[in-house]
Amino acid sequence: MKIGAPKELATGEARVALTPDSAQLIQKLGHECLIETGAGVAAGFDDEAYRDAGVTVVESAEALWREAEVVIKVREPSEAEADLLRKGQTLISFFWPAQNEALLEKSRAKGATVIAMDMVPRISRAQKMDALSSMANIAGYRAVIEAGNNFGRFFTGQVTAAGKVPPAKVLVIGAGVAGLAAIGTATSLGAVVRAFDVRPEVAEQIESMGAEFLFLDFEEAQDGSGTGGYAAPSSPEFREKQLALFREQAPEVDIVITTALIPGRPAPKLWLEDMVKAMKPGSVIVDLAAEKGGNCDLTVPNERVVTDNGVVVVGYTDFPSRMATQSSLLYATNIRHMLTDLTPEKDGAIVHDMEDDVIRGATVTHQGEITFPPPPPKVKAIAAAKPKEKVKEPTPEEKRAAELASFKEQTKRQVTLLGIGGALMLLLGQIAPASFMQHFIVFVLACFVGFQVIWNVSHSLHTPLMAVTNAISGIIILGAVLQIGSGNWLVVLMAAISVLIATINIVGGFLVTRRMLAMFQKS
């Protein structure tokens, strides 16, 4: 089939749904790729790069929509683009069906099949198609960059001849994909990062990235997870506790990055006007929920606002487009994976399997019917695990009692083994000559002592013991060489085997030690 990518018409949109790299992989599925001229220029891909990848460059959007059997886009279609849809055509793009009912009805009336990338179910198998996460990751990273661009100081603390520079204090509200990306970026730049989320189970993720999780002493906070991995709306009582926490943080932090947003709902107001007034002059607020109304009272979508007390409020709604090349590469990969699932035989034929959880979940119109909202997926959605119950630490007395019990058990086992071994020795001594018993007892004791010495040493210390084992092996070789000249063929055979095994042990010990030491050497 012919897969076409038109130029995005939305103001400021620089992304493109098809890149030269993704086009080559889509062609391996048996499809033919088309792109409107100039569609990838803003993202850093000119028409010549597409031609080199085997893509046909179409001169106009109308021609592309008319020729392509599958149209792939970033933004939802405009009214003019929706008029170009036709029966049997497939559209793959962000669509937001809950917010675009008129567009949804128009697509149904046209008889087109629409696959909404924002409706891809959050199950493990669909992670490679999760365009929301791909774009949120970029938005979180870019939010920190924008904050740094508007912040008048360093992120990292420094001690210079001219004076001491304190590190910036960053507060990230919401620890979803965008929030975690912002935490990782701010931490890597040297800032002191704090984060809050209504789901306490994300605390371990936040702390593992070097940030401090702000716990809220409220019972409801123990279960703030909603469906699909998103946070659930909070109760009025919980919200009051939450706002009180933010008011405590407002005078201390330098940068606030808000990411709280539940798809299909207006953005909750979390950073109120009085909190902005409590912040220091020069502080920065970056509101990633600006497109849905913003988490901050003073956010103006698509604008940078400076308040009367000198706080900068950034309300841009095009963070992924500000990194258009990277965004396009990731989004085009998400689209390519969706097309891979739609082309199971890799023969260029689209198979729209409505029994498939991913395809069914993302499909909002099909065969003249509206299929939104989809049924719950058959497999469980990705959700954070419930917090583990804290195990009570034993007291020092309990630890000593446990160690004593373990020692008694080990001693009892060893005494039993020694008793059994002594009885066997006594029985053997009744029939074996005295000279044999003398050597045999030394051999058994040597084995027992050697086993106890090695077995009771921690595994992490075995490598330093290689030198000792090599020395023991050397003694074995020396003794065996002395016995090789014996006239008894059995003694000669045993001596030869001893030399072979001890030599393997020595060579292996040196090789293992060398490899272990190489791990600690700089390349």
Side-chain angles (χ1 to χ4, degrees):
M1 286 192 169
K2 293 182 178 180
I3 313 293
K7 187 175 182 179
E8 297 295 325
L9 300 180
T11 303
E13 183 56 71
R15 293 171 290 177
V16 65
L18 183 72
T19 65
D21 290 342
S22 70
Q24 292 177 335
L25 295 171
I26 291 173
Q27 287 166 8
K28 291 181 180 179
L29 298 174
H31 300 297
E32 181 184 345
C33 293
L34 314 174
I35 193 164
E36 182 184 349
T37 182
V41 172
F45 308 109
D46 58 21
D47 291 348
E48 195 60 37
Y50 285 105
R51 291 190 181 96
D52 291 343
V55 180
T56 302
V57 178
V58 181
E59 292 303 319
S60 67
E62 290 77 9
L64 185 138
W65 281 84
R66 184 172 59 252
E67 192 173 346
E69 296 162 284
V70 178
V71 177
I72 55 177
K73 279 177 50 60
V74 179
R75 296 268 187 166
E76 64 271 24
S78 64
E79 287 291 330
E81 289 175 322
D83 289 335
L84 297 174
L85 281 170
R86 65 178 187 272
K87 186 176 182 179
Q89 193 174 42
T90 299
L91 170 67
I92 305 176
S93 72
F94 284 117
F95 199 83
W96 311 108
Q99 290 84 34
N100 292 307
E101 293 182 5
L103 185 59
L104 188 66
E105 175 58 33
K106 190 170 189 178
S107 300
R108 182 206 63 78
K110 289 279 186 177
T113 294
V114 177
I115 297 176
M117 293 302 290
D118 49 284
M119 290 298 298
V120 171
R122 302 199 113 184
I123 58 177
S124 298
R125 186 169 66 83
Q127 286 181 336
K128 59 188 177 182
M129 298 169 249
D130 190 355
L132 284 176
S133 293
S134 297
M135 298 302 102
N137 182 28
I138 293 173
Y141 174 88
R142 184 69 189 194
V144 177
I145 302 303
E146 291 292 342
N149 186 47
N150 287 278
F151 187 53
R153 294 194 284 109
F154 295 143
F155 268 68
T156 184
Q158 293 187 9
V159 178
T160 69
K164 182 179 179 181
V165 179
K169 294 180 181 178
V170 178
L171 172 61
V172 179
I173 300 176
V177 176
L180 291 174
I183 291 168
T185 306
T187 302
S188 65
L189 290 174
V192 175
V193 183
R194 303 167 184 171
F196 176 81
D197 196 284
V198 297
R199 301 161 295 175
E201 59 268 18
V202 302
E204 291 184 3
Q205 290 177 281
I206 292 170
E207 290 169 354
S208 69
M209 300 177 76
E212 176 191 356
F213 182 74
L214 299 177
F215 284 95
L216 194 62
D217 187 16
F218 192 80
E219 185 177 352
E220 184 186 334
Q222 300 304 313
D223 190 17
S225 298
T227 58
Y230 294 101
S234 303
S235 67
E237 295 79 8
F238 178 81
R239 175 175 168 78
E240 288 304 316
K241 288 279 187 179
Q242 188 179 20
L243 296 179
L245 175 66
F246 294 159
R247 287 189 178 94
E248 291 177 7
Q249 295 293 320
E252 299 181 20
V253 296
D254 302 301
I255 295 171
V256 177
I257 298 174
T258 64
T259 70
L261 189 62
I262 302 173
R265 298 174 180 268
K269 295 297 181 183
L270 300 177
W271 205 258
L272 308 183
E273 186 174 358
D274 64 300
M275 301 175 192
V276 179
K277 291 180 179 179
M279 297 179 73
K280 298 185 290 288
S283 299
V284 179
I285 301 170
V286 180
D287 195 339
L288 288 180
E291 192 169 8
K292 300 299 180 182
N295 296 136
C296 177
D297 276 344
L298 302 183
T299 297
V300 178
N302 293 312
E303 290 188 19
R304 173 187 179 275
V305 177
V306 181
T307 65
D308 293 338
N309 62 323
V311 176
V312 179
V313 183
V314 178
Y316 301 147
T317 60
D318 59 348
F319 286 101
S321 278
R322 290 171 180 262
M323 301 184 69
T325 302
Q326 185 65 72
S327 298
S328 299
L329 288 170
L330 292 181
Y331 183 72
T333 300
N334 296 139
I335 292 284
R336 190 255 301 174
H337 283 304
M338 176 63 76
L339 288 170
T340 300
D341 272 24
L342 289 167
T343 318
E345 301 299 326
K346 299 183 179 180
D347 56 356
I350 295 293
V351 179
H352 204 99
D353 182 10
M354 293 294 277
E355 296 299 317
D356 184 288
D357 279 336
V358 178
I359 295 173
R360 175 63 187 90
T363 302
V364 295
T365 66
H366 183 57
Q367 295 180 344
E369 295 182 1
I370 293 176
T371 59
F372 172 82
K378 300 184 187 72
V379 293
K380 190 173 178 65
I382 299 172
K386 294 293 183 183
K388 297 179 181 178
E389 293 183 5
K390 292 185 178 180
V391 180
K392 184 181 178 181
E393 289 289 331
T395 62
E397 292 76 13
E398 291 174 337
K399 287 183 178 180
R400 283 195 293 270
E403 291 172 359
L404 182 59
S406 175
F407 175 75
K408 288 181 178 178
E409 180 64 28
Q410 185 177 3
T411 303
K412 181 180 179 181
R413 187 166 56 249
Q414 290 177 348
V415 169
T416 302
L417 290 175
L418 284 174
I420 295 172
L424 292 175
M425 286 288 184
L426 182 61
L427 292 174
L428 185 61
Q430 300 299 319
I431 57 174
S435 58
F436 173 80
M437 287 302 299
Q438 181 181 359
H439 292 292
F440 186 69
I441 290 173
V442 172
F443 171 74
V444 171
L445 289 175
C447 291
F448 177 77
V449 172
F451 176 80
Q452 291 296 321
V453 168
I454 299 301
W455 186 261
N456 289 322
V457 172
S458 171
H459 292 291
S460 61
L461 298 178
H462 274 300
T463 300
L465 284 175
M466 287 298 178
V468 178
T469 57
N470 286 345
I472 295 173
S473 299
I475 295 173
I476 293 172
I477 290 177
L478 182 60
V481 168
L482 292 175
Q483 295 298 324
I484 284 179
S486 172
N488 189 320
W489 67 270
L490 183 59
V491 174
V492 173
L493 178 62
M494 296 296 292
I497 294 173
S498 299
V499 170
L500 176 63
I501 295 175
T503 302
I504 293 173
N505 188 40
I506 291 175
V507 174
F510 277 119
L511 290 175
V512 171
T513 303
R514 183 180 181 85
R515 292 184 64 180
M516 291 292 291
L517 292 175
M519 294 172 63
F520 299 96
Q521 293 176 350
K522 291 184 178 179
S523 57

